[in-house]
Amino acid sequence: MPRIALVTCRPGPDVAEDRDLPGLVSALREAGAEASAEVWDDGDVDWGAFDLAVIRSTWDYSWRSAEFTAWAERCAAVTRLANPADVVRWNTDKRYLGDLAAAGVPVVDTRYLAPGDTVVLPDTHEYVVKPTSGAGARFAARYTPAEHDTAVRHVRRMHDEGFTAMVQPYVRSIDTAGERAVQFFGGSLLHAGRKGAVLAPGTPYDQRKVAHPGLTAWTPTAAELDVAERALAAVPGAPELLYARVDLVDGEDGRPRVMELELVEPNLFLWLHPESVPRVVKHLLSAAAR
């Protein structure tokens, strides 16, 4: 009987509920696995007792990324970790967008402001400021040029806490076409969804946001699949990925661009796509048996 840990985090006021977790644990048990949800920073967990540890909803990692990546490496040393620890380390820092761009993948234009850098912000268009280590739109906000001083305070707050800020043009197509999340599991397309805009004008960066507003099922276009597959192919080292989510938006030219590449703890939205659960279970059992 394979032993599978679905890795999550402790509940808290700033942590979203993982709606998929109870059902996935049950489905794995029904399929013959010994499955359980385990908290990544619980020092009493014996990760070596599992055949497979699958990072699912460690949604508090972004403010503790060094601690989290160190855990991933320790866990991977004693069991099979999905996704692999080197992928986790690369993908927890959104400067990976620069790596994708260098590989020719169309991404949203991004600049980075590390602590100590001079804070220069756009003065001709609306833009978004967020940390390179973030999840669920934490510490993210959109600004107009008239809100320059507020945006500078936002960046300096991140710098004071040791975070690098990223600055992107606000992609206006999100307001009409939304953002598409294309999900892969076991190396093939699983399903996709579309959500509305997360960042409303005037919303403070430290206010909690609804991370996936108006989420609905979506059938990805050929162009979206092409960009998503190119992004996955550009991951350094061509690692074997058990799961992946590619978040896409339309650029000014109407063509899809990568907003984020989620390889650590992407929400799979299985509650929206219950037909995908058997495929996920099959791939998890196969990975645990290796």
Side-chain angles (χ1 to χ4, degrees), residues 268-282:
L268 298 178
F269 309 123
L270 294 175
W271 57 268
L272 182 64
H273 303 273
E275 72 283 355
S276 294
V277 172
R279 287 181 57 197
V280 169
V281 167
K282 177 182 177 181

